[in-house]
Amino acid sequence: MEKRANAVTFKGNPFTLVGPKLKAGDKAPNFTCVNSGLEAIDLGKTPAKTRLFSVVPSLDTPVCSEQTRKFEQVVAGFGDKVACYTISLDMPFAQKRFCTDANVSHMVSLSDVHNHSFGQNYGVLIEGLPIPLLSRAIFVLDKNNTLSYVEYVPEVTSHPNYDQAIAAVKAASA
């Protein structure tokens, strides 16, 4: 498995990311995550339409919570043209609790705790922390599973570029 040394910082300290650095135009890799119903979800079980994968370290942190709530507000306006997911290493039960408490209903939560395949295949699994976490990132896929937008946020505790991500979703779903 490819490792990218010093690919990201977490609270200013450099860390290695496990997996490839994807870019727009790449085919989206497969993965297997678990939803709140403990059902295994892979890329093929996501609808063949524009998809937003919002990757966060943990929903129980302020930036991750704000990121999920922000995309929740925006994606509601896209209706059924776009499928949106928040992906983290949180347990599915914790994700469900967060979504219920935060009234998040348009973003589907997927847990990569099963086998870390999303983290490894999308190059967002942080190596070297006391517990496994995913690095903050945004991936937009078109209906043909091609990545049309990729953002690896350089500092894990910083926000992604919401405007660029939303513009990419709009462009891919037009």
Side-chain angles (χ1 to χ4, degrees):
M1 180 66 55
E2 179 182 349
K3 294 184 180 186
R4 301 177 352 257
N6 303 319
V8 70
T9 57
F10 184 68
K11 298 182 179 179
N13 298 309
F15 283 92
T16 295
L17 291 179
V18 177
K21 183 173 184 179
L22 302 174
K23 62 187 182 316
D26 288 346
K27 276 297 192 184
N30 199 17
F31 61 87
T32 301
C33 287
V34 180
N35 67 13
S36 63
L38 300 183
E39 176 188 4
I41 303 294
D42 61 17
L43 184 62
K45 286 189 178 178
T46 65
K49 58 183 170 184
T50 301
R51 282 147 291 167
L52 167 73
F53 293 153
S54 172
V55 185
V56 299
S58 175
L59 289 168
D60 284 325
T61 61
V63 176
C64 300
S65 172
E66 189 176 335
Q67 178 176 329
T68 302
R69 292 170 197 257
K70 173 117 175 140
F71 282 125
E72 167 73 9
Q73 293 171 352
V74 171
V75 301
F78 287 110
D80 64 355
K81 290 176 20 179
V82 177
C84 300
Y85 301 88
T86 294
I87 301 170
S88 72
L89 282 171
D90 293 311
M91 293 291 289
F93 316 109
Q95 290 178 330
K96 184 175 183 178
R97 177 197 42 78
F98 171 85
C99 290
T100 299
D101 292 350
N103 294 316
V104 171
S105 60
H106 298 95
M107 297 287 293
V108 175
S109 291
L110 295 177
S111 174
D112 196 30
V113 75
H114 168 69
N115 63 7
H116 302 180
S117 64
F118 187 95
Q120 292 172 355
N121 295 345
Y122 283 73
V124 292
L125 182 62
I126 302 172
E127 182 178 80
L129 292 172
I131 60 170
L133 289 176
L134 299 180
S135 186
R136 189 174 317 282
I138 305 294
F139 300 94
V140 177
L141 289 67
D142 68 14
K143 64 182 179 181
N144 299 312
N145 293 334
T146 299
L147 294 166
S148 61
Y149 177 80
V150 174
E151 179 186 5
Y152 292 96
V153 180
E155 166 57 48
V156 176
T157 61
S158 296
H159 287 273
N161 187 321
Y162 296 109
D163 293 338
Q164 285 185 3
I166 294 163
V169 170
K170 285 180 182 174
S173 62

